[in-house]
């Protein structure tokens, strides 16, 4: 059985408890992070810690733990659950004020801190990466602060279900005619030597994988353009891909039924996946 972390304790998952009055449960008033584990080590942990602090401060919540404490808990859970490859999920909610109320509770209400692992042996060798994803486009019906990594994931879940029903792997959100991002990843297109992805703003999550991949892409002499693109432009691109902490760099081979290039993963996506995994494994802690 899995060992999870709840508010200072390591517990068997069946003994872990959170109040029914927790604002994470009642209001989706909480934030989360997902860090990958490869070879028993954490990938880009520093980046995830930084974004956690930012998400919390945007919601006027104090960070309940120091970066060193977060790291120690992550490592302890990886060890106790014997994770070689997989993910560590962490959630911080505004806690349990004792009643349901829209206003934030007083400062003395302690946040709820929950961490758990998911084991995914061979995560980086996923056979899907050799085939690539098919995606459909759907309207972006999320709220306007997508830069905060909140636990209100209902619309992304609905998007994933729309993709499943359409027989594809994921959905790309479109707002005002332009792609924002995937249900749980950032979106890119490639034309010649140029990698195009939407610029950072409140419209998208500031992906930790995105930051690393764009840095490596520039080092590998790709031109990087941070700007909006449409589904039509994406369909006529040479290739496309997505990035996230759990999928790394995943080629996209079809958008709304239209194959890109010859319908197989492109060179830029393949190369960026290789470079990303190699560099991040080296830097893992
Ligand atoms: N999702 N955009 C959205 C909407 C996301 O949910 C995610 C991450 C990303 C990529 O961010 P990063 O590279 O930091 O993982 C972009 C995580 C993996 C999840 O919810 O499982």
């Amino acid at each position: 059985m899995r060992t999870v972390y709840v508010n200072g304790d390591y517990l068997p998952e069946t003994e872990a408890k959170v109040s029914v009055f927790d604002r994470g449960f009642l209001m989706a008033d909480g934030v989360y992070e997902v860090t990958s584990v490869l070879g028993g080590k954490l990938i880009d942990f520093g980046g995830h810690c930084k974004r956690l602090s930012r998400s919390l401060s945007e919601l006027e919540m104090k960070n309940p733990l120091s970066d060193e404490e977060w790291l120690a808990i992550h490592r302890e859970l990886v060890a106790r659950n014997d994770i070689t490859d997989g993910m560590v999920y962490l959630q911080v909610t505004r806690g349990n004020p004792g009643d349901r109320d829209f206003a934030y509770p007083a400062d003395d209400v302690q946040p709820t801190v929950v961490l758990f692992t998911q084991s995914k042996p061979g995560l980086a060798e996923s056979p899907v990466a050799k085939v690539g994803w098919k995606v459909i486009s759907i309207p972006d019906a999320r709220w306007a602060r997508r830069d905060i990594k909140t636990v209100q994931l209902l619309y992304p879940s609905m998007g994933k279900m729309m993709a499943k029903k359409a027989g594809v792997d994921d959905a790309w959100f479109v707002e005002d005619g332009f792609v924002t991002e995937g249900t749980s990843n950032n979106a890119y297109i490639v034309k010649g030597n140029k990698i195009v992805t939407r610029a950072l703003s409140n419209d998208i999550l500031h992906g930790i994988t995105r930051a690393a991949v764009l840095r490596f892409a520039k080092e590998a002499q790709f031109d990087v353009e941070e700007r909006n693109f449409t589904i039509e432009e994406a369909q006529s691109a040479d290739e496309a891909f997505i990035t996230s902490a759990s999928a790394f760099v995943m080629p996209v081979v079809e958008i709304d039924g239209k194959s890109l290039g010859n319908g197989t993963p492109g060179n830029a996506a393949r190369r960026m996946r290789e470079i990303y995994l190699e560099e991040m494994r080296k830097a893992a802690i």
Side-chain angles (χ1 to χ4, degrees):
M1 189 192 299
R2 218 175 349 198
T3 297
V4 302
Y5 175 97
V6 182
N7 297 329
D9 295 320
Y10 293 91
L11 300 164
E13 63 182 79
T14 48
E15 282 171 36
K17 289 196 182 79
V18 174
S19 167
V20 297
F21 295 107
D22 194 279
R23 287 181 60 93
F25 176 64
L26 294 177
M27 311 253 173
D29 187 358
V31 302
Y32 77 110
E33 278 297 330
V34 185
T35 304
S36 274
V37 179
L38 291 178
K41 290 185 170 175
L42 298 159
I43 301 296
D44 213 340
F45 182 75
H48 290 283
C49 255
K50 233 186 234 161
R51 187 173 60 194
L52 172 66
S53 288
R54 180 179 181 277
S55 293
L56 288 167
S57 85
E58 289 299 306
L59 295 178
E60 298 174 48
M61 284 166 76
K62 277 203 225 70
N63 191 334
L65 298 166
S66 68
D67 288 1
E68 292 70 33
E69 289 169 320
W70 284 120
L71 177 59
I73 299 167
H74 278 71
R75 284 180 162 162
E76 187 67 30
L77 280 181
V78 168
R80 287 192 190 219
N81 292 292
D82 205 13
I83 304 291
T84 305
D85 299 333
M87 277 85 74
V88 183
Y89 291 82
L90 89 78
Q91 301 207 174
V92 183
T93 78
R94 208 182 300 272
N96 162 24
D99 273 321
R100 184 182 184 278
D101 187 358
F102 277 87
Y104 294 172
D107 279 350
D108 60 348
V109 172
Q110 293 304 307
T112 300
V113 177
V114 169
L115 287 90
F116 59 90
T117 55
Q118 285 189 182
S119 180
K120 296 266 180 216
L123 178 64
E125 288 80 41
S126 157
V128 185
K130 300 223 159 34
V131 183
W133 277 4
K134 297 175 178 175
V135 303
I136 52 168
S137 64
I138 61 172
D140 197 337
R142 297 173 300 164
W143 77 327
R145 288 303 306 276
R146 303 155 194 157
D147 57 309
I148 309 173
K149 198 165 170 65
T150 74
V151 296
Q152 37 161 323
L153 295 170
L154 184 53
Y155 191 70
S157 294
M158 290 168 73
K160 200 75 183 179
M161 292 315 294
M162 290 183 227
K164 268 192 154 186
K165 283 176 192 152
V168 299
D169 303 284
D170 200 21
W172 279 11
F173 295 134
V174 175
E175 184 171 63
D176 299 331
F178 296 104
V179 174
T180 51
E181 58 189 331
T183 58
S184 58
N185 47 69
N186 292 116
Y188 308 73
I189 58 173
V190 183
K191 191 91 189 172
N193 193 48
K194 196 169 63 192
I195 295 177
V196 180
T197 193
R198 193 176 175 108
L200 296 182
S201 71
N202 293 352
D203 300 339
I204 61 168
L205 186 72
H206 301 188
I208 302 307
T209 319
R210 177 189 183 280
V213 164
L214 292 187
R215 191 172 74 241
F216 297 142
K218 286 172 195 161
E219 284 168 16
Q221 309 301 322
F222 282 101
D223 297 324
V224 171
E225 259 182 39
E226 295 181 65
R227 61 162 173 85
N228 286 357
F229 61 87
T230 62
I231 287 293
E232 292 67 36
E233 185 181 4
Q235 286 176 319
S236 64
D238 297 331
E239 50 177 301
F241 61 90
I242 61 92
T243 65
S244 79
S246 49
F248 311 117
V249 179
M250 180 63 69
V252 169
V253 296
E254 185 191 294
I255 303 171
D256 284 339
K258 172 132 188 349
S259 288
L260 303 194
N262 62 3
T264 61
N267 283 328
R270 262 208 304 258
R271 212 161 137 230
M272 289 319 304
R273 182 178 174 91
E274 250 171 54
I275 297 173
Y276 176 81
L277 284 169
E278 189 185 325
E279 292 299 320
M280 297 320 268
R281 276 185 199 274
K282 272 195 248 164
I285 59 170

